[in-house]
């Protein structure tokens, strides 16, 4: 079943490999991520953490990395999602370790949301069908991915996802960490704010600032933790 209204779906934490990503999660949030799976379309794999809360009732944190040896099924010349093929971003992760780089918004109609962004002059990319196998069955979704893999607005503009019948949070156990708030800052705050409004996400704080930032505040066993992109 699709999300009934646009909402924060998940936070994207990029890691050089899943082992370092899991270690970061335990060190930073005080909890271990659950198993995820493989994305044959992109040659990536992940681990997940349920961070649902009253404010964000169906949200999770995704730790994602390139799957060594996997050959992406995307057409030749296309890049992986979330700028994962960017040498600059890889170098940044190599220097500083796993880090929040992006967020994904769940929408009930990917085509309509895509068109809403296009009307704002923002080309979110193609709407691709993707899936991954789970012990409970196949997870399926539609997701916007540009051929160049770019996130846009320095990762502050969300990727759009339209889930099929099932959602990861349907089976993810409670983790003890919950998303309390998500805020966005960008030099082009007017553009970003208008885009969020067009997507039906106008409730998210969007402010101007000299540097782009995604700020996610979580309640965790270690106390309040703020992740900053």
């Amino acid at each position: 079943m699709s999300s009934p209204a646009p909402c924060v779906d998940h936070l994207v934490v990029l890691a050089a490999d899943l082992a370092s990503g899991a270690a970061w999660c335990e060190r930073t949030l005080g909890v271990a991520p659950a198993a995820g799976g493989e994305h044959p379309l992109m040659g990536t794999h992940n681990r997940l953490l349920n961070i649902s809360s009253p404010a964000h009732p169906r949200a999770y944190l995704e730790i994602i990395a390139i799957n060594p040896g996997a050959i992406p099924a995307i057409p030749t010349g296309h890049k992986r999602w979330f700028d994962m093929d960017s040498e600059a971003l890889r170098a940044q992760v190599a220097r500083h370790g796993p880090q929040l780089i992006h967020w994904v918004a769940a929408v009930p109609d990917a085509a309509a949301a895509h068109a809403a962004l296009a009307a704002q002059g923002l080309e979110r990319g193609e709407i691709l069908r993707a899936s991954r196998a789970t012990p409970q069955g196949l997870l399926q979704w539609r997701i916007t991915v540009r051929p160049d893999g770019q996130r846009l607005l320095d990762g502050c503009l969300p990727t759009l996802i339209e889930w099929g019948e099932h959602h990861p949070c349907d089976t993810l156990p409670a983790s003890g960490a919950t998303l309390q708030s998500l805020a966005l800052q960008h030099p082009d705050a007017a553009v970003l704010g208008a885009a969020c409004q067009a997507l039906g996400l106008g409730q998210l704080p969007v402010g101007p600032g000299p540097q782009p930032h995604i700020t996610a505040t979580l309640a965790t066993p270690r106390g309040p933790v703020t992740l900053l992109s």
Side-chain angles (χ1 to χ4, degrees):
M1 182 180 299
S2 295
S3 173
C7 62
V8 175
D9 189 72
H10 66 275
L11 308 179
V12 181
V13 171
L14 180 60
D17 55 77
L18 288 188
S20 65
W24 167 89
C25 188
E26 293 192 55
R27 183 173 65 250
T28 306
L29 304 179
V31 290
E38 299 184 0
H39 309 116
L41 179 66
M42 293 288 165
T44 59
H45 56 176
N46 64 11
R47 292 187 66 171
L48 307 179
L49 192 73
N50 190 336
I51 56 172
S52 300
S53 67
H56 301 285
R58 199 170 70 157
Y60 65 96
L61 183 146
E62 175 183 40
I63 298 165
I64 192 166
I66 290 175
N67 191 359
I71 300 174
I74 48 178
T76 301
H78 281 224
K79 303 294 186 182
R80 292 179 175 90
W81 45 28
F82 311 148
D83 274 316
M84 290 180 68
D85 288 320
S86 163
E87 293 298 331
L89 188 57
R90 288 190 195 183
Q92 184 176 311
V93 171
R95 283 195 307 271
H96 303 294
Q99 55 201 261
L100 175 65
I101 63 160
H102 194 38
W103 67 290
V104 177
V107 294
D109 185 333
H114 184 279
L117 288 184
Q120 300 288 321
L122 295 166
E123 179 46 59
R124 187 55 281 185
E126 302 171 45
I127 302 174
L128 304 180
R129 293 188 179 274
S131 63
R132 69 174 177 85
T134 77
Q136 294 78 30
L138 194 67
L139 270 177
Q140 297 176 294
W141 62 94
R142 301 172 72 212
I143 188 168
T144 56
V145 183
R146 290 168 57 96
D148 60 14
Q150 288 184 12
R151 295 163 290 162
L152 295 188
L153 292 177
D154 305 282
C156 293
L157 182 74
T159 287
L160 308 175
I161 194 166
E162 178 189 340
W163 286 100
E165 186 177 354
H166 302 290
H167 186 273
C169 286
D170 295 342
T171 55
L172 275 176
S175 67
T178 55
L179 179 61
Q180 301 300 297
S181 65
L182 184 73
L184 308 171
Q185 173 185 299
H186 199 275
D188 290 327
V191 172
L192 180 58
C196 288
Q197 288 282 353
L199 292 171
L201 294 163
Q203 74 277 16
L204 292 178
V206 179
Q211 298 297 326
H213 287 305
I214 304 165
T215 304
T217 302
L218 297 92
T220 81
R222 298 192 184 281
V225 172
T226 298
L227 304 180
L228 189 67
S229 69

